Amino acid sequence: MATPLSADQFLGALKHAGLGVVEVGNWRTHNRDTHGPWGPVHGVVIHHTGPYSSESDMVELCRTGYSELPGPLCHGVIDRSGTVHLVGYGRTNHAGLGDARVLAAVTAERHIPHDQVADTDGNKVFYGFECINNGTSQDWPTAQLNAMAEAAAAVCRAHGWSERSVIGHKEWQPGKPDPDFDMDAFRARVATHLKDGTKPPAKPKPSPKPAPVPRPEPGPKPSPTPEPVSAPYPGKDFFHDGRSSPVIEAMAVRLVAEGCDSYDTRPGPVWSDAHRRSYAAWQMKCGYHGADADGIPGPQSWAKLRVPHQQGTDPSPVENSPVQEKPDTMPQALADVAERTLATYLQALLGLVIASGTTHLVSLSTWQAAAVAAMPAGLSALKSAVGTIVGRRGTASWLPAKRDPATPRY
């Protein structure tokens, strides 16, 4: 028997236990307190949700309820990655009427009798966690079971209760099937978390001074064994529905090896919600919580996971296309000016010779006249070359690109 924790104390107990917590809407004041009392409290009830379309839809249903049973339908929803979504606090519609003999056993923390009658208000005296599972064909991911046990242990620890204060809905209300696993085994898991949470940190023993090792005779140095190359972080946008890559399948193998397994079937190379749930469990294992444990890989958690590099894939992340170097236009411009001036000069010279009917090619007046005729063309070529260098690219304009009215504005 105890006074209920405040909303802040409840949230703090869950976070102190290392759980990933998402606060949904106005959960602190969202309750059914106007329809009955809340407290004193005696224990924690574990439920499973039953069939669902998506995990996000189930979280919203537990928050709002439905016409026959208004929400909130629990205090926290624990998804299959182990994240706790807080949807209400205070009196919630989760336990309903149950057996008074069961309540007496929970209060005294003794063996729980078989429930036979429904004569006592459980919404008043129990905390409740809904755990996402269809209740028929789905298994229970390790990450989710650990979070369920840790959440129950966190509440028990805050009140000074033992694992005997944790029951299943099926043990409280006659006819209820949830959760569909053995509650004695689950209570043993809660007891382990309670025990681990109360252990003082062990003091490291001083390492004994090693005996001197005789120096071996010099010999040929062995070739170092190359370390396996980890797959580089491919970027956040890489992970979206429909993406198929051997890197994703290799990531799933590492997640399973790390105990972050929220897969219903053998994971494949196509990104899916099961991949996201499993990666969210890994993020929480790395110490991330809330929005930082959304199941989309980030660079830090990816580096810690050490996903092996896959043969046939690019060993480096995809970056922007390399910037093309600009060619040196000055030599080209000078050559252009010389070529055009010389060609114009020769054309003018030949024209003057033909027009005058003279054959005196060494006549100074003829050469001078040709040079004068070639000057406009040379100046025009020089203007074009300078405009190409300092002006808008692809034109002969002398205006800089930022001042040229012909330059498009994007």
Side-chain angles (χ1 to χ4, degrees), residues 217-225:
E217 294 182 2
K221 293 184 178 181
S223 300
T225 303

Side-chain angles (χ1 to χ4, degrees), residues 152-177:
V155 175
C156 291
R157 190 180 298 116
H159 284 294
W161 297 336
S162 76
E163 74 279 5
R164 286 289 180 186
S165 292
V166 181
I167 62 172
H169 195 197
K170 63 185 178 183
E171 295 177 304
W172 167 248
Q173 191 173 51
K176 292 293 183 180

Side-chain angles (χ1 to χ4, degrees), residues 113-144:
H114 178 67
D115 53 332
Q116 296 178 343
V117 296
D119 57 7
T120 302
D121 180 9
N123 296 332
K124 169 187 174 181
V125 296
F126 289 116
Y127 297 92
F129 290 101
E130 284 283 357
C131 309
I132 296 181
N133 188 286
N134 65 21
T136 54
S137 58
Q138 281 187 310
D139 62 350
W140 289 90
T142 302
Q144 186 180 24

